[in-house]
Amino acid sequence: MTRYFLGITGASGHPYAEALLRALVACGHDVDIAITEAAAKVMRQELGLDPGARGELLAAALPGRIGAEAARRVRVFASGAVEAPPSSGTSLTGGVILCPCSMGTLARVSVGFSSNLVERAADVALKEGRKLLLVPRETPLSVVHLENMLRLARLGAIVLPAMPGFYHRPQSKADLVNHVVGKILDRLGVENAVGARWQGLDEPDEDQGLGRSVPEVPA
Ligand SMILES: Cc1cc2nc3c(=O)[nH]c(=O)nc-3n(C[C@H](O)[C@H](O)[C@H](O)COP(=O)(O)O)c2cc1C
């Protein structure tokens, strides 16, 4: 059993965070969570879940969302709780994951600016040489975004953008989400069967539109 820190920010992509939380707990791990104030707004929009302005309602909502047993493995901290254990390098963790990671949080982490518990936990991971995995979601990317990601990658962080592939022929939103979550778990070294694993090319078939000729453009 390992304890992970999941920092949820105000980028789009909260279904990734929920699926990741479920998967980590299902794999027998404990998870500490903190959400930023912007994340609270996006969570309400994307998951239909009201975590309170600073995440103060999230702990109470979790059992109904992921099940009571799973929720017992999760500690939720307020975004401003810089006194919480994840703020200190003495508090051990198997990895800090920022998912989804906004460009704002990514920028602040890249320069060591820790204005809340999410950013501080990431800063601690960098200074302690522990796994820091960021799942940015933004498009298009500016030079500022790209330079910040490059700086973090050079510092040893793993930058794993929320970019689901289509080669596994996803049939649902869950398939797309799980593709990204499986990659996160793989990179953390958590054994899992969450995402479909590539088995080689299928035969082209009509339904998937593969191998069809390009339709002629009418004159
Ligand atoms: C519905 C919604 C979706 C957003 N999506 C993104 C996004 O995908 N990527 C991003 O960098 N910012 C996104 N933002 C903007 C961030 O929430 C905003 O920059 C915020 O200040 C980030 O704060 P944080 O880094 O403390 O969470 C979104 C905001 C809203 C309300």
Side-chain angles (χ1 to χ4, degrees):
M1 183 273 289
T2 306
R3 181 176 293 281
Y4 291 92
F5 178 90
L6 173 59
I8 304 174
T9 80
S12 179
H14 284 226
Y16 296 117
E18 182 174 11
L20 178 61
L21 174 64
R22 287 175 188 273
L24 284 171
V25 168
C27 290
H29 299 297
D30 290 340
V31 184
D32 287 346
I33 296 185
I35 71 170
T36 66
E37 290 182 27
K41 297 179 186 176
V42 180
M43 187 173 284
R44 210 170 297 127
Q45 173 68 20
E46 294 193 336
L47 300 182
L49 174 67
D50 183 5
R54 290 171 188 79
E56 69 277 9
L57 305 180
L58 189 55
L62 271 186
R65 193 86 194 184
I66 64 171
E69 204 179 317
R72 272 194 285 276
R73 304 199 82 116
V74 183
R75 298 191 299 187
V76 181
F77 300 104
S79 59
V82 288
E83 74 288 1
S87 239
S88 168
T90 59
S91 176
L92 294 176
T93 170
V96 168
I97 311 125
L98 305 194
C99 175
C101 185
S102 72
M103 292 303 108
T105 292
L106 191 137
R108 288 186 289 276
V109 172
S110 79
V111 293
F113 185 92
S114 302
S115 69
N116 58 36
L117 183 59
V118 170
E119 291 158 12
R120 172 63 185 165
D123 195 44
V124 168
L126 283 178
K127 85 182 172 80
E128 300 293 342
R130 297 185 189 137
K131 260 181 207 153
L132 171 61
L133 198 152
L134 303 111
V135 184
R137 210 300 323 176
E138 186 53 280
T139 196
L141 295 165
S142 71
V143 172
V144 173
H145 301 149
L146 292 164
E147 283 184 348
N148 289 338
M149 286 186 216
L150 180 60
R151 188 176 315 116
L152 281 162
R154 286 192 168 135
L155 291 169
I158 300 156
V159 181
L160 194 158
M163 288 183 184
F166 290 85
Y167 50 85
H168 60 302
R169 295 183 177 175
Q171 302 294 310
S172 63
K173 182 174 112 182
D175 288 347
L176 291 165
V177 167
N178 286 340
H179 186 65
V180 172
V181 171
K183 298 206 75 122
I184 296 171
L185 295 170
D186 286 350
R187 211 60 176 80
L188 290 172
V190 175
E191 213 173 295
N192 74 91
V194 170
R197 297 205 183 273
W198 177 240
Q199 305 294 333
L201 289 174
D202 292 341
E203 290 299 313
D205 69 53
E206 281 283 319
D207 288 347
Q208 302 297 330
L210 299 174
R212 280 195 210 146
S213 58
V214 178
E216 270 178 42
V217 180

